[in-house]
Amino acid sequence: MPNLLRFTGRLILAAAAVAGLAGGFLVLVVLTDGARSGIAAWLVTLAAGTAAALWRGRRRAWSARLKAFLPVVVAAALTASVCVPSVPTERRYPPDLPFVATQRWDLATGSRVAVYHYPPAPGAARHPRPLVYLHGGPVRGISVLDHRFLQLLARQGHDVYAYEHAGAGRSGLLPMSQYTISRSVSDLAAFVDRLDQGPVDVLGFSAGAVVLTRALAAPRVAARVHRAIIAEPGPMDGPTAQVGGHQGRASARGLAPAMTGPRATRIPRYAVALGLIQLGLLAPDTGLISQAEGVNAFKAADLGGDTASAYCARDAHRIPTEDTARNFSFSPAASLRIQQTIKDSASIAPQLKRSRTPAMLMIAECSSQVRQWATAILADDPAIQRTQYMAGVGHRMWNGLDDNNERAAAVITAFLQGRPAPLRDYPTRADIPTFLSEHK
């Protein structure tokens, strides 16, 4: 029994030493901002562990001295896994989609973006202006689910253009410091100029709706927009981002089966890097992993419950596959960087109050977005002509289930054509207090 106790005690001490070295390594990663892929922190940890082992074994027999190094070896092996890439460190872009050509446009801002064009279907009544789609994310590629919805709009006569925001999908990367909400707005203006067909209609969804809202508050950019559709927006500025509030009806988050498939966050290197970036302990442009490596590593399953939160609770067990593994692309670091520039921005309400661009707001019944993000835009933009409350859908309003795509397309088409809305105008500005109280 005494021998067992001694062995157990030594094992506990060894485990504590390993944990201490690993913890020290993580602290050094933060302090050095992951310099040289974490190698700097690893070398210092190894040196400190070696020095401590030599000191502890200085008056012991050689066998005891060697045992003192065992925790150092184990800790070195564990922490080394954080320093070794398991995916390419240069950006590997998704292959082109088989059903639409991928164009690459160089914008005046310096961004190189992937562009997709769905011309009106033959025989369909052609709409007079192009419709530009701004996808969600931010810095997430356009999903196959979105592409199917764009195809539906084209079949109804819309001349649809979509581009993946800089850093997303097949678009070129930017230096991390250039991922800002202002750059996204400038890219929209540059894209419309490059299209060279005059003012265009714009449909912005989620993060794309934020870009569109801020464009409407910038007169020089707003002049390029004929009509605007703001669908399920995020917070438009810093003050709005700080507003606590209520979401829509119950979503499928926590009810849907867990997403399956590979996850970067199960690999020590990316679990540490992405986790520390998420916590704000590492900068988005950390030296631990490159931007390209982070995009290459991140998988759809890493989104976790975020996907389920975009669907109504009743759809929890029939959530469609939004994307293919070969097409999926998301840059968590660049996305956090853009979100932070929104949080740090001043109020755009004074500028938005001067907007004259005809606009429509779309809100989902089971939205995972804070209601005040949408109602703030409704309250501040006098040019919003109608609001369409989409029953039976979550944040992902066009999701391929039932007739959801067709209903969303009907609402969009009616507004762009100046026809009566398929749904009643709700909520209006006068309805905002009641609308918000329903979700307390």
Side-chain angles (χ1 to χ4, degrees):
M1 182 63 71
N3 289 337
L4 178 61
L5 291 175
R6 282 196 296 271
F7 175 76
T8 302
R10 290 170 182 170
L11 191 62
I12 291 173
L13 289 175
V18 172
L21 288 169
F25 168 75
L26 292 178
V27 171
L28 288 169
V29 166
V30 172
L31 293 177
T32 61
D33 197 23
R36 297 185 179 277
S37 197
I39 295 297
W42 186 81
L43 289 174
V44 172
T45 302
L46 181 62
T50 300
L54 288 171
W55 185 83
R56 286 197 304 270
R58 65 190 186 283
R59 295 178 181 176
R60 300 179 182 179
W62 278 106
S63 60
R65 293 181 187 182
L66 291 176
K67 290 178 182 179
F69 277 93
L70 183 59
V72 180
V73 173
V74 173
L78 289 175
T79 53
S81 65
V82 177
C83 305
V84 181
S86 60
V87 300
T89 56
E90 298 295 325
R91 181 71 177 108
R92 296 294 175 87
Y93 292 95
D96 288 357
L97 292 164
F99 51 79
V100 63
T102 304
Q103 305 175 47
R104 271 86 178 178
W105 289 10
D106 293 314
L107 305 182
T109 55
S111 298
R112 182 172 176 80
V113 296
V115 181
Y116 310 94
H117 180 210
Y118 292 103
R126 185 180 184 122
H127 297 283
R129 295 179 185 275
L131 173 60
V132 174
Y133 177 62
L134 301 178
H135 63 85
V139 204
R140 177 177 175 177
I142 299 176
S143 69
V144 171
L145 203 62
D146 275 344
H147 278 287
R148 291 174 185 154
F149 182 64
L150 300 180
Q151 291 172 324
L152 172 60
L153 293 174
R155 289 197 297 271
Q156 297 186 353
H158 296 281
D159 191 16
V160 181
Y161 288 85
Y163 67 93
E164 289 175 312
H165 302 162
R170 297 164 185 81
S171 292
L173 304 180
L174 295 176
M176 191 60 70
S177 62
Q178 293 185 25
Y179 288 108
T180 66
I181 190 61
S182 297
R183 174 60 171 265
S184 299
V185 174
S186 297
D187 279 351
L188 170 60
F191 180 83
V192 177
D193 289 346
R194 174 73 168 73
L195 188 58
D196 195 24
Q197 295 190 41
V200 299
D201 296 324
V202 182
L203 166 61
F205 167 67
S206 192
V210 177
V211 175
L212 178 54
T213 300
R214 294 182 69 97
L216 298 179
R220 292 184 179 179
V221 185
R224 297 167 168 86
V225 181
H226 175 249
R227 282 182 173 246
I229 301 169
I230 303 167
E232 280 289 284
M236 64 182 180
D237 54 25
T240 308
Q242 296 175 12
V243 172
H246 310 282
Q247 299 178 344
R249 308 297 182 195
S251 77
R253 190 181 187 95
L255 301 175
M259 292 188 69
T260 59
R263 295 173 183 255
T265 46
R266 289 176 176 166
I267 301 171
R269 176 172 175 81
Y270 306 111
V272 169
L274 299 176
L276 293 178
I277 292 173
Q278 178 73 37
L279 292 171
L281 297 176
L282 286 181
D285 57 349
T286 175
L288 185 56
I289 61 170
S290 68
Q291 177 190 172
E293 185 185 351
V295 180
N296 292 339
F298 200 88
K299 306 299 181 185
D302 288 313
L303 293 173
D306 285 353
T307 297
S309 69
Y311 293 83
C312 291
R314 59 177 167 270
D315 295 326
H317 295 282
R318 60 168 192 157
I319 293 175
T321 300
E322 294 190 348
D323 212 351
T324 64
R326 288 169 62 83
N327 185 62
F328 177 82
S329 171
F330 182 66
S331 175
S335 179
L336 287 170
R337 164 75 183 166
I338 291 178
Q339 292 179 58
Q340 190 61 51
T341 66
I342 295 173
K343 293 176 183 177
D344 293 340
S345 68
S347 172
I348 64 168
Q351 293 80 18
L352 192 59
K353 290 181 184 295
R354 295 193 289 269
S355 176
R356 296 296 179 266
T357 304
M360 177 178 73
L361 182 63
M362 297 177 69
I363 303 176
E365 179 184 8
C366 309
S367 176
S368 56
Q369 306 288 78
V370 174
R371 291 299 198 193
Q372 283 85 343
W373 295 346
T375 58
I377 297 172
L378 177 60
D380 292 333
D381 186 350
I384 291 182
Q385 297 179 347
R386 64 178 71 165
T387 302
Q388 301 286 269
Y389 181 73
M390 307 297 293
V393 294
H395 180 60
R396 173 69 74 170
M397 289 188 288
W398 37 87
N399 53 34
L401 298 176
D402 304 325
D403 63 344
N404 294 335
N405 284 19
E406 288 74 17
R407 290 193 296 127
V411 163
I412 291 167
T413 299
F415 175 70
L416 295 181
Q417 292 183 345
R419 294 191 282 104
L423 308 173
R424 72 186 179 100
D425 184 13
Y426 176 79
T428 65
R429 292 177 185 85
D431 294 324
I432 291 176
T434 303
F435 179 72
L436 295 177
S437 69
E438 291 177 351
H439 305 283
K440 287 186 177 179

